[in-house]
Amino acid sequence: MDFSLNDDQKAFVESARAFSAGALAPNAAKWDEESIFAREALASAGELGFMGMYTPEEAGGLGLSRLDASLIVEELARGCTATAAFLTIHNMATSMVGKYCSGAVIEQWCPDLVSGSKLASYCLTEPGAGSDAAALRTSAVREGDEYVINGSKVFISGAGETDVLVVMLRTGDPGPKGISALLVPADAEGISYGKKEDKMGWNAQPTRMVTFDNVRVPVANRLGSEGQGFAIAMEGLDGGRINIATCSIGTAQQALEEAVAYVQERKQFGNAIAEFQATQFKLADMLTELVAARQMVRLAASKLDHRDPQATTYCAMAKRFATDVGFNVCNDALQLHGGYGYIREYPLERHVRDTRVHQILEGTNEIMRVIVSRKLLMEGALEVIK
């Protein structure tokens, strides 16, 4: 078992780190304060291939493994958590299009999506269906060569600013087998967008409700076969949990490094606070938990790449553990800054705000515990940890 990175992976990390430090980090505070959706930066990320990381090569993407993509996302999150998080959502939607749409639809949309010149939103969550994706009610009724869509989606990242929506819809009976996925142009007649939500964090990406009122979409825009949508959504959630966990790890790494630098400069009672044993113990715990979380995320990503039968369980465990650790490390880093951590001149309060939502998204961490415990009770601990 080799945990070291190969030469290609090291190159991905170096490229992402340079882009993050040059294009994201210098602007992150402004984007947060002014709620700027950084389309130009996302287009620049597309020039490096970061907008189609695991979209199949035949659809124009890089075709990377989820582990390789995680290495890139970690570095991007160090520069701007909210922008990196949206980038992962765009990647998820784009990879679905590249993998499951017809050749004609792929040819129409994927070149612009993988380049970042057009952006995608993923529409799963509804007012009454979040983690319980099988309960969604937004409908798509087939009429000849078209589907007619009615219903609404909530908490949609990028909504109102993106160009295409990948939407999970009910085309059949209740339950998971009645769900299909459709690609819907974001400006299609009958689509309306709610107000931009005023959020605690993730201010550098807009979040809105999307309402569909008799929106007509060609049957040719369907992803996969009718009734395949739930399976596509679950596949997306596994990867999405790796993505959001990785954003937490990257942000926490940045917060830890900022804390280490600060405690060596800040003096109290005649000594740098880094010399106090309490500070040293806190830093040691932060680093230890961060390394453990990173290894769990990379293990889960590797299992996902190898189609391990326990991959879903590991993705849930990694998401729960890494997002909790990421938030705690950021919060501890703020505490080490004292009062300075609480003011916007320093980035710590933004790190705390931006990582808090990671404990809620892609299924709350309570839902992650349910997934893991059910697997444990059904199969036993030894089967889960194989």
Side-chain angles (χ1 to χ4, degrees):
M1 189 176 292
D2 185 1
F3 292 96
S4 60
L5 304 183
N6 61 38
D7 289 342
D8 286 343
Q9 290 171 329
K10 291 176 182 177
F12 292 145
V13 169
E14 290 175 5
S15 177
R17 182 174 297 168
F19 177 77
S20 184
L24 302 184
N27 301 300
K30 178 181 176 66
W31 293 341
D32 173 69
E33 183 177 359
E34 299 180 16
S35 297
I36 294 172
F37 187 46
R39 288 196 68 128
E40 291 184 5
L42 291 167
S44 296
E47 294 175 2
L48 297 172
F50 296 161
M51 300 300 279
M53 290 184 289
Y54 39 89
T55 297
E57 290 183 86
E58 52 269 28
L62 295 181
L64 297 182
S65 68
R66 298 313 296 254
L67 176 57
D68 289 350
S70 177
L71 301 175
I72 293 170
V73 171
E74 179 177 337
E75 295 300 324
L76 299 180
R78 293 180 60 179
C80 180
T81 311
T83 301
F86 175 79
L87 179 145
T88 69
I89 295 166
H90 169 91
N91 266 271
M92 176 170 63
T94 299
S95 69
M96 289 177 177
V97 174
K99 186 174 181 180
Y100 292 106
C101 280
S102 67
V105 173
I106 291 172
E107 185 176 350
Q108 178 184 358
W109 285 100
C110 277
D112 288 335
L113 291 174
V114 299
S115 72
S117 60
K118 289 187 177 179
L119 301 176
S121 289
Y122 179 60
C123 302
L124 173 64
T125 304
E126 297 183 4
S131 298
D132 185 10
L136 66 82
R137 300 177 62 183
T138 300
S139 66
V141 178
R142 185 163 180 171
E143 294 185 1
D145 293 332
E146 294 180 318
Y147 284 106
V148 181
I149 305 171
N150 284 282
S152 60
K153 300 289 183 177
V154 294
F155 304 136
I156 305 304
S157 292
E161 303 285 347
T162 51
D163 304 286
V164 68
L165 312 174
V166 175
V167 189
M168 295 297 160
L169 301 151
R170 184 157 302 283
T171 54
D173 294 333
K177 293 183 179 179
I179 296 173
S180 301
L182 287 175
L183 180 152
V184 183
D187 60 355
E189 185 177 354
I191 293 180
S192 60
Y193 298 94
K195 69 177 181 64
K196 186 168 70 171
E197 301 292 352
D198 187 10
K199 307 189 297 291
M200 172 182 173
W202 272 24
N203 293 318
Q205 53 164 290
T207 303
R208 291 184 174 92
M209 174 184 281
V210 184
T211 300
F212 302 88
D213 183 10
N214 290 321
V215 176
R216 292 184 172 271
V217 176
V219 171
N221 282 22
R222 191 178 62 219
L223 283 70
S225 58
E226 191 163 287
Q228 194 179 352
F230 184 77
I232 295 172
M234 292 304 98
E235 179 185 301
L237 280 176
D238 281 344
R241 286 164 184 161
I242 295 296
N243 288 341
I244 212 68
T246 302
C247 286
S248 288
I249 296 302
T251 309
Q253 179 68 44
Q254 185 63 29
L256 176 59
E257 293 182 15
E258 288 161 355
V260 168
Y262 178 80
V263 299
Q264 293 179 86
E265 296 174 358
R266 175 67 168 170
K267 290 187 177 182
Q268 291 288 279
F269 308 105
N271 295 298
I273 62 175
E275 297 179 19
F276 300 153
Q277 191 175 66
T279 302
Q280 294 171 2
F281 282 5
K282 175 59 69 176
L283 291 172
D285 288 345
M286 292 163 69
L287 178 60
T288 300
E289 293 183 12
L290 181 56
V291 169
R294 177 182 289 113
Q295 294 304 97
M296 178 170 275
V297 170
R298 292 183 180 180
L299 174 61
S302 178
K303 286 186 176 292
L304 197 58
D305 289 332
H306 291 90
R307 301 183 182 275
D308 187 286
Q310 300 290 359
T312 293
T313 305
Y314 273 79
C315 289
M317 289 193 292
K319 191 270 178 182
R320 200 289 299 167
F321 186 64
T323 57
D324 282 349
V325 167
F327 175 77
N328 289 337
V329 168
C330 291
N331 198 42
D332 288 340
L334 184 154
Q335 187 73 20
L336 287 170
H337 279 72
Y340 291 107
Y342 199 67
I343 62 177
R344 290 181 182 251
E345 182 180 346
Y346 290 76
L348 281 305
E349 58 84 30
R350 171 164 46 86
H351 297 332
V352 169
R353 288 187 289 105
D354 282 346
T355 55
R356 181 61 182 88
V357 73
H358 299 172
Q359 297 170 296
I360 300 170
L361 296 175
E362 305 295 350
T364 66
N365 282 359
E366 288 69 32
I367 294 294
M368 298 305 99
R369 291 181 173 94
V370 171
I371 293 172
V372 174
S373 63
R374 284 180 176 175
K375 193 74 169 180
L376 179 63
L377 292 170
M378 286 191 298
E379 298 186 7
L382 291 179
E383 286 298 315
V384 173
I385 65 174
K386 278 183 178 179

